[in-house]
Amino acid sequence: MALSTSKLTLINQALLELGLLPVATVNESDAAKFIAAKLDSLLPILLLATNWHFAVKYREDSTPLTQNFSPDYPYTYQLPYDFGRFIQCGHQIVDYLLVDGCVLSHSKPFSYYYTVNHIDYDVMPPLFARTLALYTAADSAITLTQNVQLANLLESKYQQEKMNALLLESMEQGIKTAPTNDFDRVRYL
């Protein structure tokens, strides 16, 4: 059973990577406060870097807004609070437009998959959490330590961990069925 990750855990991982002491609470040091704010600003960037399987949601909205502001589209739907970007629309949907946090469409209902721009820290997979901690440490290194060599080292570690996380993400994608082929697997001796 994997332990859940907390924001404080990631703060302490980043602080340790920077050679700073871990904290028991976020308000214990200015560095911890800085790292906490940096985590919040970098999380959406990392989430939107790819279609992480744990950060994809499906939504089917059959309740358009009562006020429609477009003469070209009969239905307007409010995007969810955690909307990051579209991945794929439902099979019947071909024409839509994103405007000011809304989807304008000819379809009712409007269904789609999207990547979220925020998730709770306790649902992050460990490798993604580690990548986020290193990303935060690398991005904070010069500000908190004035050490360019450390910043470069942390950037390198972050890039390697991100590659590992993306590789795992790729391996965890749905397994596609192999196409039928004419290859004869029987060998005659």
Side-chain angles (χ1 to χ4, degrees):
M1 182 171 140
L3 296 174
S4 66
T5 303
S6 69
K7 186 174 183 180
L8 185 60
T9 302
L10 294 183
I11 291 168
N12 282 326
Q13 285 180 7
L15 289 171
L16 289 170
E17 289 291 340
L18 292 166
L20 302 172
L21 295 174
V23 294
T25 67
V26 175
N27 295 323
E28 195 171 307
S29 74
D30 288 339
K33 290 178 194 174
F34 183 84
I35 293 292
K38 189 64 79 168
L39 276 170
D40 291 339
S41 69
L42 295 177
L43 175 59
I45 295 168
L46 192 55
L47 282 170
L48 297 175
T50 193
N51 295 331
W52 304 99
H53 72 278
F54 62 89
V56 172
K57 285 187 177 179
Y58 174 80
R59 180 177 174 105
E60 183 174 311
D61 196 342
S62 58
T63 311
L65 299 176
T66 54
Q67 261 190 327
N68 186 17
F69 61 86
S70 172
D72 299 323
Y73 296 92
Y75 303 111
T76 301
Y77 300 95
Q78 181 68 49
L79 289 170
Y81 74 95
D82 61 350
F83 178 83
R85 64 180 165 81
F86 271 111
I87 296 174
Q88 175 182 341
C89 287
H91 64 279
Q92 79 282 7
I93 299 169
V94 292
D95 188 25
Y96 66 89
L97 184 65
L98 296 175
V99 178
D100 294 331
C102 294
V103 178
L104 307 178
S105 175
H106 292 286
S107 301
K108 183 179 178 182
F110 187 78
S111 59
Y112 55 98
Y113 291 91
Y114 69 99
T115 299
V116 299
N117 62 12
H118 178 77
I119 61 169
D120 292 331
Y121 290 93
D122 59 353
V123 298
M124 287 180 189
L127 200 52
F128 180 87
R130 174 78 178 136
T131 302
L132 179 59
L134 282 169
Y135 185 22
T136 303
D139 199 62
S140 305
I142 293 178
T143 303
L144 294 177
T145 67
Q146 290 76 44
N147 186 335
V148 175
Q149 284 181 313
L150 178 61
N152 290 335
L153 172 67
L154 290 172
E155 178 66 26
S156 177
K157 285 176 74 172
Y158 156 66
Q159 291 297 338
Q160 182 61 51
E161 202 66 26
K162 183 178 176 186
M163 282 181 20
N164 292 340
L166 289 171
L167 178 61
L168 182 63
E169 179 69 24
S170 174
M171 290 188 297
E172 289 180 346
Q173 291 299 319
I175 298 171
K176 309 268 190 264
T177 57
T180 312
N181 62 46
D182 297 331
F183 181 72
D184 183 9
R185 291 178 172 81
V186 178
R187 286 181 68 184
Y188 294 97
L189 298 174

